[in-house]
Amino acid sequence: MAQTPTIPCGARASILGQLAERYHEAPANMRLAHSGGIVEILTSETGSWTIVLTHPNGISCLLRAGEHWEPVKQKKKEGEVYAVLVWRLPISNQTQRQTTIHHP
């Protein structure tokens, strides 16, 4: 029977410290989630990125990670592509996924 992958979680300072040390990633953006948690996007100059969710109890979990991050340099008009994220699922077949986000 296939096992469900474990989502890496821990203290926020520890998670962000490891991302900084291993991938040279630093917080680039953060927003409040409907759940009351904080969603952060960390990026590096080499284009790697990680999305972290910090729950109200202070525990942070890695949600997604990928490559080829490019910051949006200008405001987009409604319906224009805002960002394209490409990531690999943390499972044995490593299926690559892509999501296009349109500006609201």
Side-chain angles (χ1 to χ4, degrees):
M1 181 182 282
Q3 290 185 323
T4 303
T6 304
I7 298 174
C9 296
R12 182 180 178 275
S14 175
I15 295 286
L16 269 56
Q18 289 179 43
L19 291 170
E21 183 179 322
R22 292 181 187 171
Y23 305 105
H24 306 286
E25 292 182 353
N29 206 327
M30 68 172 34
R31 295 288 186 263
L32 182 63
H34 291 290
S35 65
I38 302 290
V39 176
E40 293 180 84
I41 299 174
L42 289 81
T43 63
S44 73
E45 290 184 11
T46 63
S48 69
W49 57 269
T50 303
I51 300 176
V52 176
L53 172 63
T54 301
H55 298 278
N57 66 4
I59 299 298
S60 294
C61 298
L62 302 180
L63 298 182
R64 294 279 187 259
E67 300 173 350
H68 310 295
W69 178 265
E70 298 216 11
V72 176
K73 294 182 172 68
Q74 61 186 14
K75 284 191 168 189
K76 301 287 184 179
K77 295 178 184 176
E78 186 174 337
E80 289 185 323
V81 173
Y82 183 68
V84 176
L85 305 178
V86 177
W87 70 88
R88 291 178 181 244
L89 298 176
I91 54 178
S92 60
N93 66 2
Q94 290 292 310
T95 304
Q96 185 167 315
R97 301 288 174 106
Q98 179 171 317
T99 299
T100 302
I101 302 171
H102 294 274
H103 191 276

